[in-house]
Amino acid sequence: QVQLVESGGGLVQAGGSLRLSCALSEGTFSRYGMGWFRQAPGKEREFVAAISWSGSNTYYADSVKGRCTISRDNAKNTVYLQMNSLKPEDTAVYYCAAERRPLRAPAVAPEYDYWGQGTQVTVSS
């Protein structure tokens, strides 16, 4: 089974930045589309961003467009989510996910085959 491990979360003041990382082990990493989702207490898991493994296509939720950038480094089997101008409403557990087929519906969580355990992001006022 493909394993995903997120890192880079933490506590940051509003307006600050964080870069989340997701490292994959096992499987054919270069073939997988990747996505980031987040879930706050009492709320549904929501889409944040996704990237085709070629890197030629990226997708963003309207709530983060212009503030977040998703990228990948095939040599490190890692995808990243750079988050700038963070707001308190960005506070959530952030999960990365991998889809073994080319991305068909990047914002739809059930389309993804593998999930990480999540990393906490807390943005204070």
Side-chain angles (χ1 to χ4, degrees), residues 1-2 10 29 41 44-46 51 55 58-59 62 70 72 75 94 97 104 106 122-123:
Q1 182 182 32
V2 174
F29 188 53
E44 296 293 318
R45 186 168 298 188
E46 66 175 353
I51 186 170
T58 57
Y59 312 86
D62 289 341
I70 188 169
R72 82 285 178 270
Y94 284 69
R104 310 291 284 275
T122 303
V123 184

Side-chain angles (χ1 to χ4, degrees), residues 35-38 45-50 59-61 63-64 106-108 112:
W36 285 96
F37 293 76
R38 66 187 182 186
R45 186 168 298 188
E46 66 175 353
F47 170 74
V48 178
Y59 312 86
Y60 297 95
S63 60
V64 302
V108 180
Y112 292 82

Side-chain angles (χ1 to χ4, degrees), residues 1-81:
Q1 182 182 32
V2 174
Q3 296 180 336
L4 292 73
V5 180
E6 303 98 332
S7 62
L11 175 64
V12 64
Q13 191 173 34
S17 299
L18 286 173
R19 188 178 75 161
L20 307 183
S21 300
C22 176
L24 269 67
S25 63
E26 302 181 5
T28 306
F29 188 53
S30 62
R31 292 178 59 92
Y32 298 158
M34 300 293 300
W36 285 96
F37 293 76
R38 66 187 182 186
Q39 188 167 23
K43 299 183 66 177
E44 296 293 318
R45 186 168 298 188
E46 66 175 353
F47 170 74
V48 178
I51 186 170
S52 61
W53 202 243
S54 68
S56 61
N57 298 106
T58 57
Y59 312 86
Y60 297 95
D62 289 341
S63 60
V64 302
K65 193 173 298 181
R67 300 189 296 118
C68 293
T69 302
I70 188 169
S71 61
R72 82 285 178 270
D73 185 340
N74 286 352
K76 296 182 178 180
N77 292 330
T78 302
V79 296
Y80 304 95
L81 183 68

